């Protein structure tokens, strides 16, 4: 299939492009325009706002970069260092970086690039250069245009300093960071803005950036051109179009199926098919494709970041993948790592596989991708075409395949209505497990799933990743955007668990009312060790501390007489309690005894006293009688 850059030579455009632009395009090997470039560039240069919908890989990036550079170059007065001539907003860092790279390449080839060097050694030199190209002192013959990339990953303050120091006439970035910079900081001078571009416009809205985009638009001058670009547009864009565009012209580049003459939304050179298989068969089916397509570049899509993380490690541990360069990319990865993975996958040669989420679904122009494999269909149906579009770019041939379970097959009709035609391919047959053949080279569903399970039981990192991936998969499926096709109630959870080599099913509310029969592996998960020795050591220390903590708790509980004490401890306590009671009783008895004794003594003493009193009275009476007798005798 030949290139789709066949819509006429660049010099046929009206209005004409500047000579150095034409020279640069020829220098870069762009001899002819693609249809979207031929129709969009003249509109933009004639001061029209545009809404451009054209299939993946049809050259939309040049369709907006060429006219905005041209507009800046045609200005009567040169733009000063801090004056922004164009803003390009893209949904992801990778895409923004890619546009920035193409922009630099174009400006360099035109001889208009004002370099923005960030390394220390160049700083002094740059300061001198800045003076040379400052507002009034700008070289009259050659216009120098700088371009800056603002995608987060560093502090806003750093970006402000970068802009203060080097300026930026074409600013490219992600919506959040750009909003922050443009709204809050007066140094970003947009008074002379020529153009605003929203690339992958529908995605920007899907990602919830409408408010940011509105804020950005509100802060920009109205005398500007605005362009919306994507391979898919959505009705949700209507309000934004009303707020940000003036009488826009719609450009739709149609693709016709050669045989049926039907209009389709995917490139002609792209062969899309589907394969019906159960969830536990997907990895084996993927391995079959790999075996039949040696020395190819694959992009493989999964539902969630955790699924990518698990399979990146799990497949890497399978002997079948020994000869492949494996890469993984998802939104939860550190930005620097993401950038490196992207760069390395682009330059990878031989059999290479990128496992990713939808963060790599749109816009990325990775050369020579042969196959796109969708292990999980995307949450957002619009992503389907974008994912497939990572291959078959600019008329090159490419293949895409999606795995669907028998209960999900209506997705095929769903996509057909959306002008994405697909062909069915038959399931690959499992190879027999023969004892005399090297088992590692056999592709057999049961064997592969057994290997996943076995590996998960030997490596704690894999074991943990498998659970996380399974849980995230279940949650993602449960919230599928096309829920009338992807019904969680139809999912055979045991087969999904098998696909992730789960040792046992985790407890989660989504599985509560499901009848699941899953065998897994009956081992104590505590015994699974990390392969990384320091990590395992840390785990052991943590476990030990936890055990000590538990023991201390038990002892504390024991003192309080909690119900978990050991039997011997309980007995001891009982004995001590009895002892204390006896002692108390003895004390009480002794007290009573003493009291009684004291009372008895008191009684005796009282009796004694009475007796003594009586005796004294008797004596007294006797003495009185004697005295009477004596008196009588005296008388
Ligand atoms: N006129 C041209 N001649 C030759 N190659 C071109 C031309 N225009 C663009 N290309 C190349 O075609 C490839 C795809 O272009 P681009 O990335 O702009 O596609 P796109 O329409 O933005 O795709 P997507 O919708 O996936 O973002 C790039 O490698 C680009 O360099």
């Amino acid at each position: 299939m030949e290139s789709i850059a066949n819509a006429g030579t660049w010099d046929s455009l009206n209005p004409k492009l500047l000579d150095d632009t034409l020279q640069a395009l020829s220098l870069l090997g762009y001899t002819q325009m693609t249809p979207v470039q031929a129709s969009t560039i003249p509109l933009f240069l004639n001061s029209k706002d545009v809404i451009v919908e054209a299939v993946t890989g049809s050259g939309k990036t040049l369709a907006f970069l060429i006219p905005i550079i041209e507009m800046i170059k045609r200005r009567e007065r040169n733009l000063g260092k801090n004056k922004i001539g164009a803003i390009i907003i893209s949904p992801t860092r990778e895409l923004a970086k890619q546009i920035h790279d193409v922009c630099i390449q174009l400006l360099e080839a035109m001889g208009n690039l004002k370099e923005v060097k960030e390394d220390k050694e160049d700083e002094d030199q740059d300061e001198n250069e800045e003076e040379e190209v400052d507002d009034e002192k700008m070289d009259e013959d050659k216009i120098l245009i700088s371009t800056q990339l603002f995608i987060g990953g560093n502090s806003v303050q750093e970006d402000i300093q970068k802009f203060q120091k080097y300026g930026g006439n074409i600013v490219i970035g992600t919506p959040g960071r750009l909003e922050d910079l443009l709204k809050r900081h007066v140094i970003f001078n947009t008074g002379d803005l020529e153009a605003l571009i929203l690339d992958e416009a529908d995605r920007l809205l899907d990602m919830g950036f409408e408010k940011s985009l509105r804020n950005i638009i509100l802060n920009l001058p109205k005398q500007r051109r605005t362009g919306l670009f994507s391979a898919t547009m959505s009705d949700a864009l209507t309000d934004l179009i009303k707020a940000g565009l003036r009488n826009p012209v719609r450009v739709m580049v149609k693709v016709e199926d050669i045989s049926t003459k039907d209009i389709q939304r995917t490139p002609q050179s792209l062969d899309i098919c589907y394969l019906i298989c159960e969830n536990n068969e997907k990895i084996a089916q993927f391995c079959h494709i790999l075996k039949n397509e040696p020395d190819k570049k694959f992009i493989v899509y999964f539902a969630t970041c955790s699924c990518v993380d698990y399979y990146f490690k799990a497949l890497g541990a399978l002997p079948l993948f020994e000869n492949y360069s494996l890469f993984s990319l998802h939104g939860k990865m550190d930005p620097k790592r993401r950038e490196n993975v992207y760069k390395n996958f682009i330059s990878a040669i031989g059999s290479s596989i990128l496992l990713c989420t939808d963060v790599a679904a749109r816009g990325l122009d990775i050369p020579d991708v042969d196959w796109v494999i969708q292990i999980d269909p995307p949450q957002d149906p619009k992503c389907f075409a974008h994912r497939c579009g990572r291959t078959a770019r600019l008329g090159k041939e490419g293949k895409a395949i999606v795995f669907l379970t028998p209960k999900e097959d209506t997705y095929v009709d769903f996509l057909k209505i959306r002008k994405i035609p697909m062909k069915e391919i038959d399931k690959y047959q499992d190879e027999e497990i023969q004892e005399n053949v090297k088992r590692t080279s056999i592709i057999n569903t049961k064997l592969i799933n057994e290997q996943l399970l076995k590996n998960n039981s030997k490596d704690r990192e894999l074991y943990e990743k498998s659970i996380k991936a399974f849980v995230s998969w279940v949650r993602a499926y449960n919230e599928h955007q096309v829920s009338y096709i992807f019904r969680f109630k139809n999912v055979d959870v045991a087969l999904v668990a098998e696909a992730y080599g789960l040792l046992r099913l985790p407890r989660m509310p989504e599985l509560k009312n499901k009848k699941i029969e899953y065998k897994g592996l009956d081992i104590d998960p505590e015994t699974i060790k990390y392969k990384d020795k320091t990590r395992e050591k840390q785990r052991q220390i943590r476990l030990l501390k936890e055990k000590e903590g538990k023991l201390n708790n038990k002892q504390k509980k024991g003192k309080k007489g909690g119900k978990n004490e050991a039997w011997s401890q309980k007995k001891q306590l009982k004995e001590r309690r009895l002892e204390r009671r006896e002692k108390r009783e003895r004390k009480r008895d002794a007290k009573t005894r003493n009291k009684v004794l004291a009372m008895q003594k008191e009684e005796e003493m009282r009796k004694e006293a009475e007796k003594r009193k009586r005796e004294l009275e008797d004596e007294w009476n006797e003495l009185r009688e004697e005295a009477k007798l004596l008196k009588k005798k005296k008388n």
Side-chain angles (χ1 to χ4, degrees), residues 11 46 71 83 100 111 146 155 167 236 293 297 315 337 359 373-374 481 492-493 530 540 544 576 591:
D11 56 7
N46 280 318
M71 279 190 238
K83 291 196 174 148
H100 185 243
S146 60
S155 73
E293 303 280 335
K297 217 169 194 172
L315 298 184
R337 216 177 116 207
V359 76
I373 297 179
Q374 306 192 44
Q481 280 188 30
D492 186 334
V493 175
Y530 286 116
Q540 291 299 344
L544 213 71
R576 250 187 270 157
K591 244 186 190 171

Side-chain angles (χ1 to χ4, degrees), residues 3-6 8 10 25 28-37 54-64 66 95 98 102 105 199-200 229-232 361-367 385-386 389-390 393-396:
S3 163
I4 56 161
N6 55 11
W10 298 96
L25 290 169
L28 292 169
Y30 302 132
T31 47
Q32 293 219 29
M33 297 176 284
T34 66
V36 70
Q37 292 157 356
V55 294
T56 52
S58 57
K60 292 187 286 294
T61 315
L62 289 186
F64 60 74
I66 292 174
L95 190 48
Q98 181 181 294
V102 179
Q105 198 188 37
D199 193 22
E200 306 291 346
F229 289 76
S230 184
T232 48
R362 287 191 180 233
L364 297 189
D365 187 43
I366 303 170
H386 289 277
R390 293 319 97 208
R393 296 179 75 72
L394 208 83
K396 275 191 191 164

Side-chain angles (χ1 to χ4, degrees), residues 527-629:
T527 58
I528 306 170
K529 291 181 179 163
Y530 286 116
K531 284 219 163 134
D532 178 349
K533 286 208 170 80
T534 28
R535 211 168 161 198
E536 179 55 24
K537 207 170 164 187
Q538 280 166 354
R539 185 177 83 95
Q540 291 299 344
I541 294 171
R542 206 183 49 242
L543 280 178
L544 213 71
K545 277 187 184 160
E546 273 171 20
K547 269 184 197 155
E548 274 173 12
K550 270 185 198 161
L551 206 71
N552 286 343
N553 279 347
K554 269 183 194 169
Q555 277 168 353
K556 272 184 209 159
K557 275 185 188 170
K559 276 182 191 160
K560 285 182 206 157
K563 53 184 169 183
N564 287 336
E565 308 106 331
W567 179 81
S568 59
Q569 269 180 313
K570 269 188 184 177
K571 200 177 160 206
Q572 258 181 1
L573 276 171
K574 204 174 172 183
E575 281 169 0
R576 250 187 270 157
R577 254 199 317 273
L578 271 174
E579 229 172 74
R580 275 202 302 270
R581 196 186 298 157
E582 278 170 15
K583 208 171 156 185
R584 263 200 316 272
E585 279 170 6
R586 275 200 303 274
K587 223 172 167 178
R588 209 185 307 134
D589 288 352
K591 244 186 190 171
T592 334
R593 238 190 344 269
N594 288 345
K595 226 179 183 174
V596 173
L597 282 174
M599 274 163 69
Q600 279 174 349
K601 213 171 175 179
E602 215 175 285
E603 186 61 21
E604 274 170 23
M605 277 164 70
R606 193 183 56 79
K607 279 183 184 166
E608 191 70 19
E610 267 180 16
K611 193 177 153 199
R612 183 80 193 126
K613 195 180 159 190
R614 267 198 309 275
E615 280 172 357
L616 280 173
E617 275 174 358
D618 287 346
E619 274 175 35
W620 177 251
N621 285 339
E622 270 176 35
L623 279 173
R624 228 179 14 190
E625 282 305 310
E626 274 175 30
K628 263 187 202 169
L629 274 173

